[in-house]
Amino acid sequence: MRKDVRILLVGEPKVGKTSLIMSLVSEEFPNVVPYRAEEITIPADVTPERVPTHIVDYSEAEQTDEQLFQEISKANVICIVYSVNNKTSIEKVTSHWIPLITENTDKDSRVPLILVGNKSDLVEHSSMETILPIMNQYSEIETCVECSAKNLKNISELFYYAQKAVLHPTGPLYCPEKKDMKPLCVKALTRIFKVSDLDNDGILNDNELNFFQRTCFNTPLEPQALEDVKNVVRKNLNDGVCDNGLTLKGFLFLHTLFIQRGRHETTWTVLRRFGYDDDLELNQDYLFPPLKVPPDCTTELNHNAYLFLQSIFDKHDKDRDCALSPEELRDLFDVFPYMPWGPDVNNTVCTNDQGWITYQGYLSQWTLTTYLDVQRCLEYLGYLGYSIIAEQESQASGITVTRDKKIDLQKKQTQRSVFRCNVFGDIGCGKSGFLQAFLGRNLMFQKTIREEHRSYYAISTTYVYGQEKYLLLHEVFPDFDYLSDADLACDIVCLVYDVSNPYSFDYCAKVFKQYFTDSKTPCMIIAAKSDLPEIKQMYGCSPLEFCRRHRMPPPQSFTCNTAAAPSRDIYTKLTTMAMYPHVSQADLTTSTFWLRASVGATVFAVLGFTMYRVLLKQR
């Protein structure tokens, strides 16, 4: 909502503009009226909307046209004052003032107008008959108020309506000609309904309505008031109430009724609570709350955010198969202005046999977005209504910023849950196969993936010493001369070569020597396509000897050309090395180190699967 309101009063001489202002301030009619009142500011604590209000007077006798034009351009709302007993001043509203204001305001930012009929104490009849056709002709006219500066009639009401026209404008919400809400308003309220429909059954039940009421207005509805609301909808709309809950049609009807009865503030309170600005766009402050991420720190979802995302998954997994079908996924993202996940997501995270994103794959994709582009994650959580549903100050409360990696190395322990592994290797060495194998896909499956749906990332969970961690694999483009800082920044490096190609290892050796010889980032060499005959590498020494010289673990044999899903052991090893970068390379070569890690991984993988099945039954 605006931080302040600027009201400008214009009109013909002697219609009582200055008297209106002075009567408001002194609460009595002035005996002596100057040509023009000085600008006054009414403090926030004495206005109904709790917003500072500036009231500006205009005098033809004291001000130039240029000064008038400047004031018009600065005003948030303009009151055109006429005298109810002066026909000429009424005619000037349309012949002079409205065209003048239109010429001096930006077409895109329409300024609301209030028609003010002053001196009602001098006549017995109302001017409304004359004014109504004018109001119907100009949509920018919010309302008309008849008042008397002398009798103090409707003075405070006049300035309240002017304030309200700025803070709760009708224009963006309602089309008077069609007597219906505007499409943007319908779209915003539809999203609000879907976010508030916690069980996704298309109805707001009593619990959901009370949560909505408490969220927007800080007070629940009494049971009788709730019934009264539903009865109003029932009387006017056949399908507005279903199973004793409010349907989307009923919800939209209620807001149309609020607007038609002049209670725009009710609809605006709801819109603003759910992040909308005056143009019915989601506010940038709402979508992108401040979040400071220092260098060498990463971003992860915290427990509250995961719980929220799990509830969103449950809400849309209607057939309870622990995967999201294309229809369920579209339904989930219906509250977004665009589809955020493309076809490549299906090759980034785990899917089921039908190619649908599984529960684990869904959480993995959110984890990936948070790690790679936290601003985008904040935006996505905003669309889903995280701060409202989780009752948090903003989406930023769902993000953990990890501590500097240097501190992890000093303390020889890490609190991180997501570890990045950058995968290097020459063209055709098997990098893509290595990424897809992490998602449980063998070579036969990989051949079905379309090139345009290919992903350079793969993320899933692994278990190290009984702890569930995310390993994020990133395939680095093999242009040796164009490796960026982002290509080099990671928790562990994976150097992949093809055992059947004699020139494949040379690339890995060059990358290691140029970029990682003196780095504290642990490295592992992968001997890919190990199902093929091994050919001697055309390099100064064998890969095994290279590893010994540089105190690395020996090359790890790997193949995805298997009948079943490829082995995941290598990924557990990579996560372990990423978690314990302080462990010397010599220790990493011992079998006991790996045995402890992998035994822990196996035990907890089994436990994790059992617990997962229990949770599914509960859901």
Side-chain angles (χ1 to χ4, degrees), residues 519-531:
S519 166
K520 289 184 179 177
T521 306
C523 299
M524 181 178 276
I525 289 175
I526 306 293
K529 304 185 185 180
S530 61
D531 56 299

Side-chain angles (χ1 to χ4, degrees), residues 465 553-554 556 573 576 583-600:
Y465 292 123
Q556 306 291 305
K573 289 184 177 182
T576 308
V583 175
S584 71
Q585 297 291 353
D587 288 342
L588 289 171
T589 58
T590 64
S591 56
T592 15
F593 181 84
W594 295 118
L595 188 62
R596 288 202 309 271
S598 58
V599 166

Side-chain angles (χ1 to χ4, degrees), residues 21-64:
I21 296 171
M22 294 181 76
S23 292
L24 174 76
V25 175
S26 62
E27 295 186 352
E28 61 179 12
F29 186 66
N31 293 322
V32 180
V33 182
Y35 280 120
R36 177 173 169 265
E38 290 297 318
E39 180 180 325
I40 65 161
T41 299
I42 301 172
D45 55 358
V46 295
T47 67
E49 297 291 344
R50 303 286 172 190
V51 174
T53 303
H54 312 283
I55 301 174
V56 181
D57 194 8
Y58 163 69
S59 168
E60 190 180 288
E62 287 198 351
Q63 288 174 292
T64 64

Side-chain angles (χ1 to χ4, degrees), residues 249-517:
K249 280 188 178 179
F251 183 74
L252 294 175
F253 167 78
L254 264 184
H255 281 282
T256 306
L257 206 60
F258 291 144
I259 296 163
Q260 287 172 342
R261 292 181 178 178
R263 289 177 56 192
H264 317 110
E265 63 272 20
T266 304
T267 301
W268 274 115
T269 300
V270 170
L271 289 164
R272 289 190 174 116
R273 178 67 185 93
F274 278 79
Y276 288 93
D277 62 17
D278 288 353
D279 299 317
L280 296 185
E281 298 288 343
L282 282 168
N283 205 304
Q284 293 297 292
D285 292 342
Y286 167 79
L287 288 177
F288 304 103
L291 181 71
K292 192 176 179 183
V293 184
D296 288 329
C297 298
T298 58
T299 43
E300 299 177 1
L301 293 164
N302 63 26
H303 180 64
N304 285 337
Y306 276 120
L307 284 178
F308 171 76
L309 290 169
Q310 285 165 10
S311 74
I312 296 292
F313 184 95
D314 287 345
K315 173 177 170 176
H316 293 90
D317 180 21
K318 290 187 175 179
D319 55 9
R320 291 288 181 265
D321 64 347
C322 294
L324 294 174
S325 69
E327 293 77 23
E328 288 170 340
L329 203 59
R330 275 196 297 273
D331 186 36
L332 191 154
F333 289 127
D334 197 39
V335 293
F336 283 54
Y338 54 86
M339 184 67 180
W341 294 357
D344 60 317
V345 172
N346 292 52
N347 298 311
T348 306
V349 298
C350 292
T351 56
N352 66 8
D353 294 340
Q354 292 166 283
W356 300 351
I357 293 171
T358 62
Y359 176 69
Q360 194 220 334
Y362 162 84
L363 292 180
S364 296
Q365 179 62 24
W366 276 100
T367 304
L368 177 72
T369 306
T370 309
Y371 187 95
L372 295 179
D373 189 349
V374 72
Q375 289 300 313
R376 182 150 289 189
C377 178
L378 291 172
E379 180 190 356
Y380 291 175
L381 288 172
Y383 293 139
L384 291 171
Y386 171 77
S387 60
I388 295 145
I389 303 304
E391 300 184 81
Q392 299 289 326
E393 190 177 332
S394 75
Q395 296 88 273
S397 65
I399 307 295
T400 296
V401 178
T402 64
R403 69 187 181 190
D404 193 316
K405 200 172 170 184
K406 296 186 193 77
I407 299 171
D408 283 353
L409 286 167
Q410 287 165 9
K411 293 185 177 288
K412 297 187 177 180
Q413 61 177 8
T414 183
Q415 297 165 331
R416 297 186 185 196
S417 296
V418 186
F419 298 93
R420 177 173 178 147
C421 171
N422 282 356
V423 181
F424 294 84
D426 209 352
I427 295 168
C429 70
K431 297 190 300 297
S432 300
F434 184 71
L435 264 69
Q436 289 301 307
F438 185 35
L439 307 177
R441 298 167 178 182
N442 60 20
L443 189 61
M444 191 178 293
F445 181 97
Q446 291 174 29
K447 285 177 179 176
T448 65
I449 297 172
R450 291 161 63 176
E451 183 60 31
E452 63 268 30
H453 295 168
R454 187 179 162 196
S455 175
Y456 292 95
Y457 290 94
I459 182 169
S460 190
T461 52
T462 59
Y463 287 86
V464 177
Y465 292 123
Q467 299 176 57
E468 186 185 52
K469 301 294 179 183
Y470 281 95
L471 179 64
L472 188 171
L473 302 178
H474 171 48
E475 180 184 338
V476 178
F477 192 72
D479 193 332
F480 190 79
D481 298 321
Y482 291 96
L483 293 179
S484 65
D485 290 342
D487 292 331
L488 303 174
C490 57
D491 299 299
I492 182 163
V493 171
C494 208
L495 300 160
V496 182
Y497 77 97
D498 175 359
V499 297
S500 66
N501 180 348
Y503 303 100
S504 186
F505 182 73
D506 183 66
Y507 176 88
C508 296
K510 281 181 180 174
V511 168
F512 179 83
K513 283 189 167 181
Q514 180 154 340
Y515 296 105
F516 299 108
T517 305

